Amino acid sequence: MTVAPSTSVADFDRLDDDAARGLVSSWAAVPRWVDAVLAGRPYGSTEALAAAAEALARSWTDDEVDAALAEHPRIGDRPAGDGASAAASRFEQSASADADIATAAAIHDGNADYEERFDRVFLVRAAGRSADDVLGELRRRLGNDDVTERAEVAEQLREIALLRLGRSVA
């Protein structure tokens, strides 16, 4: 299943600030990053936009990543709402959402263990991963220390943001 891009990069470059802010916020809800991506317009190409977005995302702070996690449902839960972020999560988690009962239960239990250990939701780029892959990643990351895990969460958020950018701007 693929999602057709909703706008060209030329159209993105010309969007009014409110519309552009809404779109970029659906990639990652990091206000300082959203502002910086918007300030870089016009980009002229999807490659330039993606390169700038990725470079800017490398400066996310732990607090910004933690705040952005509020926009992400638990892996295995059905994303609520009808906004762009919820729609993207539904699409990204489609493979892991259809897990067999045992795998779904293990992901549920792993989410609880992860939240108890790290005091935040488990975030993984679910797009392109099976439920078994997600479960394996969850189990592996439960062995991380906090510093390592914070870095992995930020990287996963960057990957998700760039995938969403690529699906929404051509």
Side-chain angles (χ1 to χ4, degrees):
M1 173 185 205
T2 59
V3 174
S6 60
T7 191
S8 71
V9 73
D11 289 340
F12 172 77
D13 284 341
R14 289 188 301 266
L15 281 175
D16 68 68
D17 284 348
D18 288 340
R21 183 172 311 288
L23 180 60
V24 177
S25 293
S26 75
W27 305 338
V30 179
R32 180 179 58 87
W33 175 77
V34 171
D35 291 343
V37 169
L38 295 180
R41 294 187 300 166
Y43 289 99
S45 73
T46 305
E47 294 79 14
L49 170 59
E54 181 175 14
L56 292 164
R58 299 259 169 224
S59 71
W60 288 342
T61 66
D62 287 344
D63 288 341
E64 288 172 325
V65 170
D66 287 344
L69 289 178
E71 297 291 319
H72 289 270
R74 285 181 183 88
I75 293 292
D77 286 357
R78 298 284 181 194
D82 58 0
S85 184
S89 289
R90 275 191 291 280
F91 174 76
E92 293 156 0
Q93 290 193 34
S94 61
S96 61
D98 295 329
D100 62 66
I101 293 171
T103 303
I107 290 172
H108 179 271
D109 292 347
N111 278 333
D113 293 343
Y114 182 94
E115 289 175 25
E116 183 177 322
R117 177 160 164 64
F118 294 110
D119 197 29
R120 62 183 161 277
V121 299
F122 172 68
L123 182 73
V124 66
R125 178 196 40 79
R129 289 186 166 135
S130 70
D132 287 332
D133 292 341
V134 168
L135 178 58
E137 189 67 4
L138 174 56
R139 287 178 172 158
R140 180 190 68 78
R141 286 176 47 196
L142 277 166
N144 284 346
D145 60 52
D146 191 59
V147 171
T148 302
E149 186 54 22
R150 285 186 176 280
E152 288 212 40
V153 170
E155 179 58 31
Q156 292 301 301
L157 185 62
R158 278 190 292 275
E159 287 182 21
I160 291 165
L162 293 172
L163 284 171
R164 289 177 176 184
L165 180 161
R167 283 197 310 265
S168 61
V169 178

